[in-house]
Amino acid sequence: MRRCPIIPLLLLLLPGSLARAHKPSDSYLALQLDGARIEGRWDISLGDLDYALGLDADGDGAITGREVRAAQPAIADYALSRLRIVDGRENCPTVAREHLITTRSDGAYAVLRFTSTCSQAPRGIEVIYGLLFDVDAQHRGLVRVASGQQVQTAVLRADAAERRFAVAAHPAGQQVLDFIGEGVRHIWGGIDHILFLLALLLPSVLRRERNAWRPVSTLKPAMSDVLKVVTAFTVAHSVTLSLSTLGAAALPPRLVETAIAASIVAAAVNNLYPLFEGRWGIAFALGLLHGFGFSNALLEMDLPRTITAVTLLGFNLGVEIGQLAIVAVFVPIAYAMRATWLYRRFALVGGSVAVGAIACVWSIDRLLS
Amino acid sequence: MADAKLRARTVIARLGIVCLIALLGFALYAPTQRLDGMRPLADSDDDRVLQEVSKRSAELRKLQAVARARADAPDLATALRLARENIEQARALSDPRYLGRAQAALKPWWNSPSPPHGVLVLRAVIRQSNHEFAAALADLSLALEIAPEDAQAWLTQSSLQVVRGDYAAARRSCGPLHRLATELVATACLAAVDGVTGRADAAHDALHDVLARSNAAHPGLKCWALTLLAELARYKGDPATAERHFRAALAHGQDDAYLLAAWADFLLDRGRPREVVALLEKHTEADGLLLRLALAEAQLRTPRRNEHAAELAERFAASRARGDRIHLREEARYVLKLERQPARALELALENWRVQHEAADARLVLEAALATGDVPAAQPVLEWLHQTQFEAPYVRALARQLGGAPR
């Protein structure tokens, strides 16, 4: 009678009818096509890499940053040697670019960013996937291939490890155009950014004289003021947008959202009790916060595309173009109406009060949520 | 006046600048975390534990190397050892990842219709976890032809036959256990079959008697027997006894996921969600346990309930993304009770019923059918109830409400 073997395997019966805990092994491979270049991002579980390669150098059951760093070349070799991207007849060679880490529901993952260059813009690529199948027969590669606006996904398994993805024809550089479009959409959709800007611009066609607002007599000072304010705002938010998107700076989203709302209140209040007449200073200082807001929104979008310096520039450009459009519509109207009671009382004062009040509510709401 | 204004302006300007510098300094200094979720390794990560793994991974890699050393003559003994180790880990940690590794260890024989006996048994276990019950039964049947003295295989076979609703065969599979294993094992095997075929009362008493006589049995076995006794007590409508048995099982300290789930279900039915929360708060890795926790929290309306429910939804989605359909029972219950979409829940419950016929599966179909008002959909389960004479009062009550209570 073999009692011992019964015991451990016995209890295995029971969880079989229970939903399995934790998660079977998956890796996440995202490919972004841009002309003949393919940008890749591959998330691979550290636990899996340890089982296949051995990451835990000192065998203490804990994988530290140091151990991962030491293993990064091996990880890149291991992973890229088990992936082939083929354009029709020939391989598109892959080169590792960057090592990062991230966390998913089942633990820490190594993120490998790589590029693959085909000899020409492919009409279709074949992904031949071979990661981890030899050590984990239930491993799955969750692949996502994006090209322009088109996204295709596939689940690759040991018994179905290759897949062809047809790629819609698109010119190289399409990606940047897409990002420019996103930038425009963002500023037009970002009511808080618009309100801040408009609040700052309302007094541009006026000047302060003996505690009252008076219309400027010529266009020149108005335009000069608009230029200063808009430029200051633009420079400020571009800087922080870039820093934040590229990962060099980070602020908690809740803080940023609250601060942005508060900045609108500040601009509105300044219109009613003007402390700072040259508002480019405020535009710059508070514009820094808005940049973080843009960046958060950009990163939260589930873009199938990878964000690079070039695409970021495109996004920024889009924001500025969108902004310019708003200013180009607003300023002539404001200038034309600058002498009217409607503008000075209703738009400037009434408008600032209304905007300030709304922004106040937003601030409190964002702070508490 | 102008003076005050100037002062105010200066103060505000200075304050503002200081704040901004502080904020930016913080932004630049704080560990950078890009919102698309990934970041480079920082120096501060050097000594930080990013992931815990088994201390035995070096050893397991050696086994892998040995097992794979010669493609033309794979090392069976090492492969079996590697597979068994991984299955052990899967059980101990309730983590399915290891089953994939076990399966990979058996790769040279995996698709063979008649591999060596050792492979058959382990392949059956892995297939059973994948809910490939028919294939697992085929493997066990073959394994038993080769080695009819394998008590574990008989026991596994019986339990799979119960899941498939083949009760006569399940009873027959218990037969050899009288000779090959202890009285406790044999009685428990039969009790599991009798429990769902209208003989819960007798089964309970028989098993209870044998357990009382089996003091020398392994604690794991005792725990299993007590869990079964608790379920039998539930089936015969005796919750007080069921609770006694559950508590006795828990006292063995096995922290078995199955036991915890069964106890949580009992507590939820008895309207004691608070105890469920206390029990399962620390057990959120296991999907089934997270589900029970979320159900209890929904009843109590605790602040974390949405977080847990959302996490569950993500896990089911992740599983579906992979193409796995083994969480149907849990997903159906989640969709019915937490997402409150009875039509979809019924679909899932029926899909689940096609695969497995345990009490919990029957109950789900009935509950979903009641919620949607789709009585004909419950027909297969009502027939099953009629055939088996399964007597659990809470299931019978559902059937009565659907107008199909058997005599």
Side-chain angles (χ1 to χ4, degrees), chain B residues 162 218 258 348 396:
Chain B
V162 168
H218 188 279
Y258 186 86
L348 289 166
R396 282 269 161 119

Side-chain angles (χ1 to χ4, degrees), chain A residues 20-21 26 63 66 102 108 275, chain B residues 9 37 50-51 96 130 322:
Chain A
R20 283 200 234 150
D26 295 312
I63 299 179
R66 187 179 286 118
T102 189
L275 268 186
Chain B
R9 193 187 305 179
L50 301 175
Q51 179 72 45
N130 272 337
R322 261 178 70 89

Side-chain angles (χ1 to χ4, degrees), chain B residues 157-175:
Chain B
Q157 183 169 270
S158 171
S159 107
L160 281 176
Q161 283 159 338
V162 168
V163 166
R164 298 290 290 164
D166 190 354
Y167 304 109
R171 208 166 267 121
R172 279 196 305 274
S173 297
C174 294

